[in-house]
Amino acid sequence: MNPVDLPPRAATADLAALRRRHPRAFAPAGVWTPTGAAVLVVILAVTAVAIWRLDISVARLGSGLVQIVGILGAMFPPSPGPHLAVFLHALAETLAIALLGTLGGAVLAAPLGFLAAKNVIPNVFAHFAVRRGLDTIRGVDVLIWALIFINVVGLGPFAGILAIAMSDTGSLAKLFSEAIENADRKPVDGVVSTGASPVLAVRYGLLPQVLPVMASQVLYYFESNTRSATIIGIVGAGGIGLHLAEQIRVLEWNKVAFLVLMILVTVAAIDAVSSRLRFAIIGRSAMVID
């Protein structure tokens, strides 16, 4: 019988018995357990040791804020000086690095994404090897890849393109494999039922489902790589980052402000265009939010 249907005394006795048998389930919310208190003490202790070992100083932070205010004042008005044409050329170079690097990474990631998907390659050893390889590639930051390729192919945009392509290969392949694994199995089974080979089943049953998602992810990474191309340019991989680092080094803050504004406007424009393209590829949601 449901406790709600019992007489009041019987229901109270039944509830008391449940409390005795399952005290944790009836514990009031917000009561600290010994484990929770111990975890909090450990976190606070680690934080205190980190602050002490890293020499974090409130006084230094205060003096630094005063310097930041002075730098912000020196940034106005933003001005390119006589270098507008040079800065525009460097910005175009940054966009080219981001575009070619993203496309290169997407081309390499597409087959790896299918190999890393369990519903395409059921062999557990092959799947494990591909996934761990992608984890290794993805675990190295794009800036480190840039430093590696600068030593391989020399300074310039080619090193930046290779760095972004290598970094995106690991990240995009993981996203592609997840999209493939989450695809509906019914279209694939329908193609297989006609006697088609596994390759044709993937081509006609799986690829049409995941291709819009993959294209959307590539567009997002192109937007993100525009910022990454700026950062890797600082270490010598070409683009506007090289000029940004140089202007900071010589304390030309008004030119720094102009370069930052150029980057912000470019990223905003790419975001707007890529958002429209993503909606065109995937389709807008039918739900209207008032």
Side-chain angles (χ1 to χ4, degrees):
M1 182 181 293
N2 194 315
V4 178
D5 300 329
L6 294 173
R9 290 185 180 180
T12 302
D14 189 61
L15 183 60
L18 287 173
R19 286 180 181 274
R20 287 192 300 271
R21 280 185 292 177
H22 307 283
R24 292 185 179 180
F26 289 90
V31 175
W32 282 99
T33 62
T35 303
V39 170
L40 179 61
V41 170
V42 170
I43 292 175
L44 292 176
V46 171
T47 302
V49 171
I51 292 174
W52 171 61
R53 293 290 297 175
L54 297 177
D55 194 21
I56 297 176
S57 170
V58 177
R60 290 168 59 190
L61 179 61
S63 62
L65 291 176
V66 174
Q67 294 182 4
I68 288 176
V69 171
I71 290 173
L72 291 175
M75 284 184 172
F76 292 94
S79 171
H83 308 299
L84 179 60
V86 175
F87 291 166
L88 290 175
H89 179 270
L91 181 61
E93 189 174 82
T94 297
L95 292 175
I97 292 172
L99 177 62
L100 294 177
T102 305
L103 290 177
V107 170
L108 294 174
L112 292 175
F114 282 95
L115 292 175
K118 293 180 180 179
N119 54 343
V120 177
I121 304 296
N123 186 289
V124 64
F125 297 105
H127 178 264
F128 179 83
V130 175
R131 280 293 180 97
R132 298 294 76 78
L134 295 177
D135 290 342
T136 302
I137 296 173
R138 193 173 65 255
V140 180
D141 189 75
V142 64
L143 191 60
I144 299 176
W145 282 120
L147 293 173
I148 292 173
F149 282 114
I150 284 173
N151 286 277
V152 173
V153 300
L155 297 171
F158 186 35
I161 293 170
L162 294 175
I164 290 178
M166 185 60 68
S167 177
D168 281 8
T169 297
S171 300
L172 286 173
K174 180 178 184 297
L175 293 175
F176 290 172
S177 66
E178 291 176 352
I180 294 166
E181 289 177 348
N182 292 326
D184 190 1
R185 180 70 189 179
K186 293 179 181 178
V188 179
D189 293 337
V191 176
V192 171
S193 66
T194 65
S197 64
V199 175
L200 292 177
V202 171
R203 166 62 183 87
Y204 293 103
L206 192 58
L207 188 59
Q209 296 184 66
V210 299
L211 192 58
V213 179
M214 294 167 67
S216 174
Q217 291 167 344
V218 171
L219 286 172
Y220 173 77
Y221 265 75
F222 170 58
E223 173 198 336
S224 176
N225 286 335
T226 304
R227 296 186 293 270
S228 299
T230 301
I231 300 301
I232 63 177
I234 294 177
V235 299
I240 202 170
L242 182 62
H243 296 278
L244 183 62
E246 180 62 26
Q247 297 305 320
I248 292 175
R249 191 175 299 113
V250 298
L251 305 181
E252 292 285 350
W253 297 115
N254 56 345
K255 294 184 177 64
V256 171
F258 186 83
L259 289 170
V260 171
L261 286 176
M262 288 178 64
I263 296 169
L264 291 177
V265 171
T266 303
V267 171
I270 293 174
D271 178 46
V273 174
S274 63
S275 296
R276 290 180 177 274
L277 289 175
R278 284 197 297 269
F279 281 130
I281 292 172
I282 298 180
R284 290 182 178 273
S285 174
M287 181 177 62
V288 178
I289 302 176
D290 296 327

